[in-house]
Amino acid sequence: MKKTSYMHKRHLFAVLFLLLVVTFLFARNPAETPARHYDFFHAKKQMDRIYYGDLRVTVYCGCAYESNSKPNKIDFAGCGFAPRKNANRASRIEWEHVVTAHNIGLFRRCWHQEEGRSARKNCEATDPEFAIMEGDLHNLLPSIGEVNGDRSNFMFSQWTNSPEPMYGSCESIVDFKNRKFQPRKEVRGMLARISFYMEKTYGIQLSKERRRLFEIWDKESPVNAYECERDARIYKVQGDHNPFVYAKCREAGLI
């Protein structure tokens, strides 16, 4: 009888210990969760682990904002931004794909088999590799929603050294007729290095013309503290560096 009671107590202790372990794991700080790749839906839930403090700045217009969740409270006055047309969408932060979802999916079978849904939704639902590519944190940056929408799936380009502002004093501009987007010069190198990463990691090839342009941007706009810190934080969440950033951050003594 005593042996049965002893075994019962041991079993009870084991169950309680297991419950404590599970409780601890679920109570952990999100910043301590293991590094892994995410689909786009879950990638957006990781942004508080990356974009906090000085990294809360929109990519195309350099506007600081207070929160990754609504209301985002974008400081339009501080960056001189003015909505072009859609003030409602301009009021929110969206997560911009540097290499667009269209460009990621265009040469995949799922993109051309919609089955009653959009090509992108079909790829998200049926192609696990596309889902990981779409959610890669190295390829995502905070953007003012209206600018993200205007950029659409247009390719990056450079056609003028004197851009006529479209969004207040923001220097990123769109050529809707020719489907081109010219980002402000301060972030061109970062966008180029992200594009190199996506090509190396997933085989999303750059045209010769695009490669020449990005090589120029890479040289003219070297890595800075923002880009190096962003790469370091993404490494903690996703488990990998952008090698085109990491090596140059080390060379520059920024890490």
Side-chain angles (χ1 to χ4, degrees):
M1 188 74 177
K2 289 183 178 179
K3 186 176 181 181
T4 303
S5 177
Y6 173 72
M7 294 299 293
H8 177 72
K9 288 180 180 178
R10 285 191 61 184
H11 177 72
L12 180 62
F13 176 78
V15 171
L16 289 172
F17 178 76
L18 181 60
L19 287 172
L20 285 171
V21 170
V22 171
T23 301
F24 170 75
L25 290 173
F26 277 92
R28 293 172 71 187
N29 188 313
E32 297 175 354
T33 56
R36 51 165 289 193
H37 278 251
Y38 299 87
D39 60 26
F40 184 46
F41 176 81
H42 291 95
K44 289 185 287 185
K45 296 182 179 295
Q46 311 307 312
M47 295 311 183
D48 279 342
R49 301 167 65 187
I50 301 168
Y51 296 97
Y52 55 87
D54 292 344
L55 263 62
R56 280 188 181 160
V57 179
T58 65
V59 55
Y60 296 132
C61 295
C63 301
Y65 65 96
E66 291 187 16
S67 173
N68 295 309
S69 303
K70 296 178 183 177
N72 305 113
K73 297 182 180 179
I74 307 169
D75 183 9
F76 288 168
C79 62
F81 179 87
R84 179 184 67 84
K85 185 177 180 180
N86 190 336
N88 182 52
R89 190 167 182 180
S91 70
R92 66 178 184 249
I93 292 295
E94 296 179 358
W95 298 100
E96 161 77 324
H97 289 84
V98 174
V99 176
T100 67
H102 179 272
N103 202 31
I104 290 171
L106 185 60
F107 298 103
R108 304 188 70 81
R109 181 178 297 178
C110 61
W111 198 261
H112 306 282
Q113 297 177 342
E114 291 87 348
E115 298 182 4
R117 47 194 171 198
S118 71
R120 180 172 174 177
K121 290 295 184 184
N122 189 61
C123 283
E124 289 173 344
T126 65
D127 187 335
E129 186 177 359
F130 173 89
I132 292 300
M133 294 160 70
E134 185 191 31
D136 194 302
L137 295 168
H138 288 290
N139 190 46
L140 296 171
L141 283 162
S143 173
I144 291 172
E146 182 183 36
V147 184
N148 178 40
D150 285 351
R151 190 252 166 141
S152 183
N153 57 16
F154 299 170
M155 292 294 189
F156 293 131
S157 187
Q158 183 179 347
W159 64 89
T160 177
N161 291 321
S162 302
E164 184 176 341
M166 300 176 65
Y167 309 98
S169 59
C170 174
E171 293 190 352
S172 292
I173 56 174
V174 188
D175 181 341
F176 292 103
K177 180 178 179 181
N178 294 301
R179 300 179 61 80
K180 299 185 297 183
F181 184 89
Q182 179 173 297
R184 62 190 180 106
K185 62 183 178 182
E186 292 85 356
V187 297
R188 291 174 188 170
M190 178 172 66
L191 300 177
R193 289 181 281 274
I194 290 171
S195 299
F196 293 151
Y197 164 85
M198 292 297 285
E199 180 182 50
K200 178 180 177 64
T201 306
Y202 301 111
I204 304 172
Q205 294 187 354
L206 299 170
S207 66
K208 291 182 179 179
E209 178 184 7
R210 201 80 52 203
R211 183 183 302 283
R212 284 195 296 269
L213 177 65
F214 288 166
E215 286 172 350
I216 292 171
W217 286 2
D218 181 35
K219 291 177 181 178
E220 291 182 345
S221 179
V223 294
N224 56 27
Y226 177 99
E227 193 175 355
C228 296
E229 179 62 20
R230 175 180 178 268
D231 182 73
R233 293 183 190 180
I234 290 174
Y235 174 78
K236 292 179 181 179
V237 178
Q238 187 169 276
D240 54 11
H241 289 287
N242 178 339
F244 300 96
V245 173
Y246 183 65
K248 293 187 177 185
C249 290
R250 296 190 65 180
E251 291 172 8
L254 294 172
I255 56 174

